[in-house]
Amino acid sequence: MTLIHFAILLPVIAAVFIGVLYRYYKDVHLGWFVLPVPVLIVAYLFTLIPTVSSNQVIFESMQFMPRIGMNFDVYIDGLSLLFAILISGIGALVVLYSIGYLSHYEKLGNFYVYLLIFMTAMLGVVLNDNVLMLYLFWELTSISSFLLIAFWFNRERSIYGAQKSMLITMFGGFLMLGGFISLSLITDTFSIRGMMEQIPAIQENALAPLAIILILFGAFTKSAQFPFYVWLPDAMEAPTPVSAYLHSATMVKAGLYVVARFTPLFAFSELWVWAILLIGLVTLVWAAFNAVKQDDLKAVLAFSTVSQLGLIMSLLGIGALGVHSGASEQVFTIAVVAAVFHLINHATFKGALFMIIGIVDHETGTRSLKRLGGLMTIMPISFTMTVITSLSMAGIPPFNGFLSKELFLEAMFSISEADFSVLADVSVLFPILAIVGSIFTLVYSIILIRGIFLGKTQPETPKEPKEAPMLMLISPIVLTVLVIVFGLFPNILSGTIIDPAAMGILNTSEPLNTEISHWHGWDSPALWGTVAIVVIGALMYLFRNTWMPVYRFGNKIFTINNLYDQGLMYSRLGAEKITDGYMSGYIRSYLVYIFTGFAVLAVITMINTDMTFEWDTASAITIPEVAIMLIILAALIAILVTASRMVSIIMFSVIGFSLSLLFVFFRAVDLALTQLAVEAILTSLFLLAFFHLPKRARHEERKRFRLNNMIISVAVGATSIIFGIAAYSNRLFDSISQFYIDNVYDLASGGNMVNVILVDFRGMDTLFETLVFGLAGLGVFILLRLRVNRKGENEFEEHA
Amino acid sequence: MEILVIILAGILIGASVYLMLSKSLLRIIIGTGVLSHGILLMLLTMGGLKRGGIPVLDDSVQSYSDPLPQAMLLTVIVITFALTAYMLVIAIRVYKELGTDNVENMKGVPRDDD
Amino acid sequence: MNLKSTLKKLGYAKVHKQMNDVFLKYTAKVVFLIIITFSINLFFSGHYTPGGGFVGGLLAAAAIVLLLLAYDLKTINKMIPFDHKWLIALGLTLSVFVPLVLMIFGQPFFTHQALYIELPIFGEVPIHTAVFFDVGVYITVAATTLLIITLLATEQAMSDSEGADRS
């Protein structure tokens, strides 16, 4: 447990207290209590920058479950530090923004607890060296994202979006776990650094392609790549601070992080390189194309986010190509630097844009482009910020988006010039796709500015528009200022953050010394690419009425969304059909399945295994024990024949008490004690419940019914006897009991082996058992007290 | 001895199946209780009976009974208690709400879905 | 009161009349003390001799059941003035907390520690972190059992009053 571990867990720890604070300080907006958490973390992370930028890595191990290799090992290099700073930095701004955005009447306690859980989960993903822990935190991000999307859970769209995002990202996450496990099968370690040392072994192993595909599934679903992007637009039902934070700046970049992290490991594989590169480009173009036709502002931004994620993904693909073909070539370094730089830039301008859209939504009551317009004079600050950030997004100088877009184009152009035999035929496509995607980006950026702020003032907004309060403006202003600063002085980032991160992706220790410049000379193809984008983009915007109808030709049936909906519906119907096939609703049928299944399986097992029966080792038979056993038999027969409930209950107790006597004879004192206590309490329970129980203990049953039951029970009884004797007389391997007997004092310094096994050796089992026990108690409470009241709501009855 | 106990356990298990397959709620509850008793005996016997002293550290004792089944069975006893209590309460609630303790009749009791 | 009503329902009115409340109550008090002491003793000696959290908790609950039979629900509720559900939560929290705290000391999850300290009267006393975990188990088991029993008893008391109203 070091400071770093504490920093990762701090949000979750804080979440516990936030829940309590929420109850007692209703007057102060809960966000003010939450705000210090990300601020503290980001401050701490900044102190790590000097260490990391001087090419050192930080590694702190904490044992969690060492036996299965699941340790909380924190590993910080440039890449993880960059992500961690983004997560906590944007997190702080989002919390600040949410104080203005969410009113006191919302369920603030839930909101901030989910948000804090997400923060820990995300930090855990990017700062982990252990893939199992990474997966654990990865799924935690999916869960917290689900909860946050469904924050307004009485809206149908929210539930739909939350479920969709959960199903898709968890599907990918689960496949990714499969990938991690196959990787660890190859390398025999769960540590990413450990895997890095065994790249040749991975290269030769036949499992490697499987691992690659599975891990890519995880990354692509999380980072909303084609065709899995469909969940992201629906996730926009979340409150806007959440969209800005999770679905634009951080969580969706977890996929990029995994791809970047595993690139040195998998770059040997062409599959890895091409999958990233092509899927990234397809996503870039497709999503940018779709963003133009959206009417909802948040939908525009959602598609824009998808497209930008595709852009970064394709850049990582080029970087991977570089590692694949022998590294250190200038082109590929540029691509990786561009990827990292664009990652930062995207977080700044997209985060700001989301917040501004949130402001517009908050102040006018609508997000529909058709109902907005002419807000420039009413909301001058928002307008200025939108212009700056949108232009940055479109890649217009002098903002930061321009610089990374230039680097992107440069990388795309140089890849077509570079000499790859595989690429020769298609290489010219890459810059073209890049430019097409960027043109659409420019078009929707202009639509954003024009649609909200220019043109005629629309009179029919649901609310009277006004400029947002200062509280809500601070966060987007900070981000917008960053857009400008990074645009003018990009090299404050290059040495401190970008280079270490890029070196983390390329897995080299040679300093890169990147210089990001604004001007590359007249002969730079990227310059002409930008010019082409601006000119064509502007023309396309001006003549949009002539080509916009193209969207109508789209096939409405074979869309990915439809595929998802239909797939979900049919899998549900199919599951229902199968379930209805065997779930008859009669408890008896289920018991019949279970018991006949048991008998049949036991018989099959016994036939197929070579079992011997021997009872020479059995211990001596003594009279008192036999007597007790006879009592048990007699009580059993009484239960079977009686129709009186009192007799049944008493005979049942007789069996229990006799059993505890037997335990004494069998040297099981703890068992005897426990059985005695349980039996006493159970009997009094039965007596307490006596009045409420049915009057008669058995019903009239037809002969055939009884005969069937008898056959099944005799079969089960007989199989258990044979099975028991067989199991008793055969020992396939040594018992682990001897270990407990030998170590009870040395390891656990106890004397009573049974209790030491319970609380120490197998303490985890006991923990969960206690949990089950407690839950049973709460279940009883609910069963006895919960009633449906007249309004159809559940409520608890209170008795004096 | 072990063989005798296993046979007794088998009889308990068989009888419990018969009880659980019947129609009456109370018999089903008692059936689960009896089943757990049978299983307790069965599992305890698997490690051999009376093979040494009680599993509490003592310098004068050379061999101990197998402590592992005992520890596991202790949790079985406690969980069975929780389970039986829970089932008992379910039975009470069901009997109150539906007015019948015949499990065959419970299906088809109209739900108010409106 | 519950046993009485149960017996009454069964038609053992005579038994009811013969039952000496004072005697029962007095005996219950004494026996309660004996059982509860035994339960605590079992709990603490559990690490070295038979006993432990489960048995201890169950016996503690059993002792209270005895009181419930001799007195009535109100007395029990007065005796334990907390919500049993909170006690369950407390016990569970303790059980989870102990292994987690151990992690802070750099140990893997669920590795207990033992210390030996000198006390004035008792001499050398082992302090075992497993005991704290077992306390959680004890509380949860006792509270859950108690919750179930008091719930059933309340249910019974309710129907008793309903039955009385009807007749």
Side-chain angles (χ1 to χ4, degrees):
Chain A
M1 192 85 185
T2 59
L3 199 56
I4 300 172
H5 292 105
F6 182 71
I8 295 174
L9 295 175
L10 179 66
V12 159
I13 298 169
V16 176
F17 296 103
I18 294 297
V20 179
L21 279 175
Y22 182 54
R23 294 213 152 202
Y24 296 104
Y25 295 93
K26 293 257 183 200
D27 308 335
V28 189
H29 196 286
L30 195 60
W32 292 115
F33 296 113
V34 181
L35 189 56
V37 176
V39 172
L40 277 177
I41 296 174
V42 82
Y44 171 66
L45 290 172
F46 270 121
T47 64
L48 299 179
I49 290 183
T51 324
V52 171
S53 58
S54 59
N55 286 334
Q56 287 168 349
V57 293
I58 299 165
F59 182 80
E60 294 287 352
S61 182
M62 182 165 107
Q63 296 209 316
F64 183 57
M65 295 184 185
R67 192 65 60 81
I68 58 169
M70 190 168 173
N71 289 325
F72 195 172
D73 294 341
V74 172
Y75 173 73
I76 302 184
D77 64 353
L79 182 65
S80 20
L81 188 65
L82 163 70
F83 272 91
I85 290 177
L86 272 184
I87 292 157
S88 42
I90 305 272
L93 292 175
V94 161
V95 170
L96 183 66
Y97 174 78
S98 69
I99 296 173
Y101 185 85
L102 287 171
S103 78
H104 257 68
Y105 304 107
E106 306 279 3
K107 292 193 174 71
L108 291 179
N110 296 13
F111 181 79
Y112 285 113
V113 167
Y114 301 158
L115 205 67
L116 287 169
I117 292 174
F118 171 76
M119 231 178 259
T120 285
M122 200 61 213
L123 286 172
V125 167
V126 299
L127 295 179
N128 237 310
D129 183 49
N130 189 296
V131 285
L132 283 183
M133 289 299 278
L134 192 150
Y135 171 74
L136 193 79
F137 284 115
W138 178 278
E139 291 294 36
L140 199 56
T141 63
S142 295
I143 293 168
S144 48
S145 153
F146 168 81
L147 291 168
L148 283 166
I149 297 170
F151 178 62
W152 286 310
F153 52 80
N154 34 20
R155 298 185 188 169
E156 205 178 314
R157 295 294 309 171
S158 297
I159 297 170
Y160 174 76
Q163 189 197 34
K164 198 171 185 178
S165 78
M166 173 110 137
L167 283 177
I168 294 180
T169 53
M170 289 230 160
F171 160 76
F174 206 60
L175 293 184
M176 194 176 76
L177 176 66
F180 287 158
I181 290 174
S182 24
L183 253 186
S184 78
L185 285 179
I186 303 171
T187 59
D188 201 28
T189 173
F190 285 111
S191 152
I192 299 176
R193 294 195 320 164
M195 290 170 183
M196 294 280 185
E197 288 159 11
Q198 304 183 42
I199 294 176
I202 300 173
Q203 205 163 351
E204 285 163 13
N205 202 299
L207 268 178
L210 182 72
I212 289 174
I213 292 171
L214 291 177
I215 290 177
L216 280 181
F217 259 112
F220 286 166
T221 47
K222 198 75 162 184
S223 276
Q225 297 296 298
F226 189 88
F228 304 113
Y229 69 89
V230 284
W231 68 266
L232 192 61
D234 281 306
M236 291 298 140
E237 292 301 322
T240 304
V242 174
S243 312
Y245 190 32
L246 271 74
H247 306 124
S248 165
T250 54
M251 190 186 83
V252 287
K253 291 192 176 135
L256 297 177
Y257 169 77
V258 165
V259 168
R261 183 51 87 206
F262 282 91
T263 287
L265 202 61
F266 286 138
F268 64 82
S269 152
E270 299 212 334
L271 178 68
W272 176 265
V273 175
W274 289 110
I276 303 171
L277 187 53
L278 292 178
I279 298 271
L281 272 176
V282 169
T283 312
L284 162 69
V285 176
W286 177 251
F289 174 69
N290 271 302
V292 177
K293 71 169 176 186
Q294 301 301 324
D295 176 55
D296 183 352
L297 288 175
K298 275 180 99 174
V300 176
L301 289 188
F303 277 100
S304 148
T305 306
V306 174
S307 126
Q308 304 277 332
L309 290 170
L311 190 157
I312 303 173
M313 192 65 91
S314 62
L315 280 172
L316 288 175
I318 300 177
L321 193 60
V323 182
H324 178 66
S325 60
S328 80
E329 283 194 42
Q330 190 64 22
V331 184
F332 306 113
T333 318
I334 289 177
V336 173
V337 167
V340 174
F341 192 33
H342 198 72
L343 197 86
I344 303 171
N345 295 343
H346 179 251
T348 56
F349 64 68
K350 192 56 64 66
L353 269 174
F354 262 109
M355 291 177 184
I356 299 162
I357 300 293
I359 290 174
V360 171
D361 184 16
H362 201 257
E363 301 304 326
T364 65
T366 179
R367 294 197 310 248
S368 168
L369 273 168
K370 288 197 191 85
R371 304 175 70 182
L372 289 164
L375 293 173
M376 182 173 78
T377 47
I378 305 165
M379 306 170 79
I381 306 175
S382 306
F383 169 67
T384 319
M385 291 193 297
T386 313
V387 171
I388 294 171
T389 48
S390 306
L391 291 183
S392 171
M393 177 162 75
I396 307 291
F399 307 115
N400 58 2
F402 162 71
L403 296 169
S404 42
K405 187 69 70 80
E406 283 270 281
L407 288 173
F408 166 62
L409 290 176
E410 203 173 314
M412 284 296 165
F413 274 114
S414 38
I415 201 181
S416 65
E417 286 164 10
D419 184 29
F420 289 116
S421 51
V422 218
L423 276 175
D425 305 327
V426 287
S427 59
V428 76
L429 270 176
F430 290 99
I432 292 176
L433 281 176
I435 289 177
V436 170
S438 308
I439 290 171
F440 284 114
T441 310
L442 183 76
V443 174
Y444 68 69
S445 302
I446 302 177
I447 287 179
L448 270 186
I449 304 173
R450 165 72 173 68
I452 310 171
F453 294 104
L454 303 178
K456 264 188 279 178
T457 310
Q458 297 279 350
E460 10 174 326
T461 51
K463 274 200 226 165
E464 185 68 27
K466 58 176 189 309
E467 185 59 277
M470 206 53 213
L471 193 59
M472 285 175 83
L473 287 173
I474 296 173
S475 301
I477 287 176
V478 171
L479 288 173
T480 316
V481 168
L482 285 180
V483 166
I484 301 172
V485 171
F486 292 162
L488 296 177
F489 313 105
N491 289 318
I492 54 172
L493 286 177
S494 60
T496 48
I497 292 181
I498 296 179
D499 276 359
M503 284 157 64
I505 298 174
L506 294 169
N507 199 25
T508 71
S509 51
E510 293 168 40
L512 299 173
N513 298 325
T514 317
E515 283 287 327
I516 300 169
S517 55
H518 296 80
W519 180 251
H520 303 281
W522 288 109
D523 54 347
S524 150
L527 174 73
W528 297 107
T530 309
V531 171
I533 291 167
V534 172
V535 171
I536 301 176
L539 287 175
M540 281 187 74
Y541 176 75
L542 287 176
F543 296 105
R544 63 186 182 284
N545 290 336
T546 53
W547 64 269
M548 283 289 259
V550 86
Y551 287 112
R552 283 191 215 135
F553 293 116
N555 193 327
K556 293 278 184 285
I557 298 161
F558 291 103
T559 59
I560 301 163
N561 266 320
N562 232 339
L563 204 67
Y564 165 83
D565 290 338
Q566 301 286 326
L568 195 63
M569 198 180 75
Y570 280 112
S571 52
R572 208 193 63 222
L573 286 179
E576 257 170 31
K577 214 170 220 171
I578 295 171
T579 314
D580 285 348
Y582 63 88
M583 301 288 272
S584 61
Y586 292 113
I587 190 169
R588 190 166 169 276
S589 337
Y590 307 151
L591 291 174
V592 170
Y593 299 152
I594 295 172
F595 291 126
T596 12
F598 164 74
V600 169
L601 284 179
V603 169
I604 291 175
T605 317
M606 278 186 291
I607 291 171
N608 286 335
T609 34
D610 189 25
M611 289 219 171
T612 51
F613 294 92
E614 50 172 314
W615 36 72
D616 313 335
T617 54
S619 49
I621 300 170
T622 57
I623 303 295
E625 291 159 17
V626 176
I628 297 169
M629 286 161 68
L630 285 177
I631 295 175
I632 294 180
L633 268 184
L636 191 65
I637 292 166
I639 293 179
L640 285 173
V641 295
T642 184
S644 149
R645 44 188 186 153
M646 195 56 163
V647 173
S648 310
I649 292 172
I650 290 175
M651 286 304 141
F652 179 58
S653 311
V654 167
I655 296 182
F657 283 119
S658 318
L659 212 55
S660 65
L661 265 180
L662 264 190
F663 288 150
V664 176
F665 285 110
F666 295 157
R667 317 271 197 277
V669 190
D670 286 273
L671 278 190
L673 273 172
T674 318
Q675 178 69 30
L676 208 61
V678 160
E679 214 47 53
I681 297 173
L682 206 55
T683 308
S684 48
L685 264 189
F686 267 112
L687 290 178
L688 275 174
F690 193 74
F691 178 61
H692 300 281
L693 287 174
K695 295 278 177 291
R696 289 176 57 80
R698 62 190 286 195
H699 285 269
E700 293 301 318
E701 288 158 347
R702 272 177 293 121
K703 265 206 178 129
R704 206 187 138 78
F705 180 86
R706 283 211 306 238
L707 193 69
N708 275 343
N709 291 353
M710 225 176 281
I711 291 170
I712 295 173
S713 35
V714 169
V716 172
T719 357
S720 357
I721 293 174
I722 299 169
F723 206 59
I725 294 175
Y728 169 71
S729 28
N730 293 278
R731 246 181 211 289
L732 297 180
F733 38 80
D734 283 336
S735 160
I736 51 168
S737 306
Q738 199 54 43
F739 170 82
Y740 297 131
I741 296 175
D742 294 340
N743 291 298
V744 66
Y745 196 78
D746 304 333
L747 285 183
S749 50
N752 178 7
M753 293 161 203
V754 176
N755 194 48
V756 166
I757 291 175
L758 278 177
V759 297
D760 200 333
F761 289 130
R762 312 281 317 170
M764 193 90 138
D765 297 347
T766 311
L767 176 64
F768 285 117
E769 197 217 339
T770 329
L771 183 69
V772 170
F773 200 73
L775 283 180
L778 294 181
V780 168
F781 176 77
I782 289 167
L783 274 173
L784 284 178
R785 289 294 167 78
L786 190 72
R787 296 281 187 276
V788 183
N789 67 10
R790 279 182 194 163
K791 286 181 211 153
E793 293 158 347
N794 292 333
E795 66 175 14
F796 286 103
E797 276 181 6
E798 282 305 324
H799 299 307
Chain B
M1 191 74 227
E2 278 87 344
I3 305 303
L4 274 186
V5 177
I6 289 174
I7 291 172
L8 177 67
I11 294 173
L12 280 172
I13 292 172
S16 76
V17 171
Y18 184 75
L19 285 172
M20 277 193 273
L21 287 176
S22 75
K23 289 176 183 173
S24 147
L25 270 180
L26 187 66
R27 279 169 88 86
I28 292 176
I29 299 171
I30 288 181
T32 41
V34 173
L35 177 66
S36 88
H37 286 158
I39 288 168
L40 273 176
L41 274 180
M42 185 72 95
L43 288 181
L44 188 68
T45 320
M46 291 296 103
L49 294 171
K50 302 193 281 186
R51 291 292 158 79
I54 55 168
V56 170
L57 217 55
D58 190 342
D59 291 337
S60 60
V61 175
Q62 289 304 313
S63 72
Y64 299 99
S65 302
D66 197 345
L68 189 64
Q70 296 194 16
M72 293 299 120
L73 291 179
L74 204 119
T75 63
V76 171
I77 293 176
V78 178
I79 286 289
T80 309
F81 166 67
L83 179 79
T84 314
Y86 191 71
M87 285 190 60
L88 192 63
V89 173
I90 289 185
I92 291 173
R93 186 75 198 262
V94 163
Y95 185 53
K96 260 190 181 170
E97 298 280 322
L98 303 180
T100 176
D101 71 319
N102 187 340
V103 285
E104 300 282 302
N105 292 346
M106 280 176 193
K107 200 195 167 194
V109 174
R111 286 204 318 244
D112 34 333
D113 273 335
D114 45 11
Chain C
M1 136 136 205
N2 291 297
L3 184 60
K4 273 189 289 172
S5 58
T6 308
L7 293 173
K8 203 160 77 181
K9 292 276 150 37
L10 288 166
Y12 295 100
K14 275 181 193 164
V15 183
H16 173 225
K17 268 177 197 159
Q18 285 165 359
M19 217 144 101
N20 192 333
D21 266 315
V22 182
F23 180 68
L24 178 65
K25 282 184 180 176
Y26 187 75
T27 328
K29 262 187 203 167
V30 177
V31 178
F32 169 75
L33 272 182
I34 297 172
I35 300 182
I36 219 83
T37 323
F38 183 51
S39 139
I40 293 171
N41 172 45
L42 267 186
F43 168 72
F44 276 110
S45 60
H47 214 62
Y48 295 97
T49 56
F54 282 118
V55 193
L58 284 169
L59 270 183
I64 297 171
V65 170
L66 184 70
L67 279 194
L68 183 72
L69 293 176
Y71 293 82
D72 61 356
L73 205 60
K74 270 183 197 159
T75 325
I76 306 297
N77 285 338
K78 231 182 263 173
M79 210 182 81
I80 308 164
F82 327 103
D83 193 337
H84 305 316
K85 296 192 287 300
W86 279 99
L87 281 179
I88 296 177
L90 178 79
L92 284 178
T93 320
L94 201 64
S95 316
V96 178
F97 198 63
V98 173
L100 282 181
V101 167
L102 289 169
M103 278 185 78
I104 295 175
F105 297 120
Q107 291 289 330
F109 194 57
F110 249 117
T111 309
H112 286 300
Q113 298 297 309
L115 294 173
Y116 293 89
I117 52 165
E118 289 287 336
L119 282 186
I121 303 169
F122 301 96
E124 199 185 48
V125 172
I127 296 284
H128 209 287
T129 52
V131 170
F132 298 106
F133 173 72
D134 224 11
V135 169
V137 176
Y138 181 96
I139 296 178
T140 317
V141 170
T144 308
T145 316
L146 210 55
L147 176 72
I148 296 175
I149 287 169
T150 47
L151 277 171
L152 274 175
T154 330
E155 194 77 1
Q156 167 116 19
M158 253 181 20
S159 1
D160 276 0
S161 62
E162 275 168 22
D165 291 346
R166 259 182 239 140
S167 58

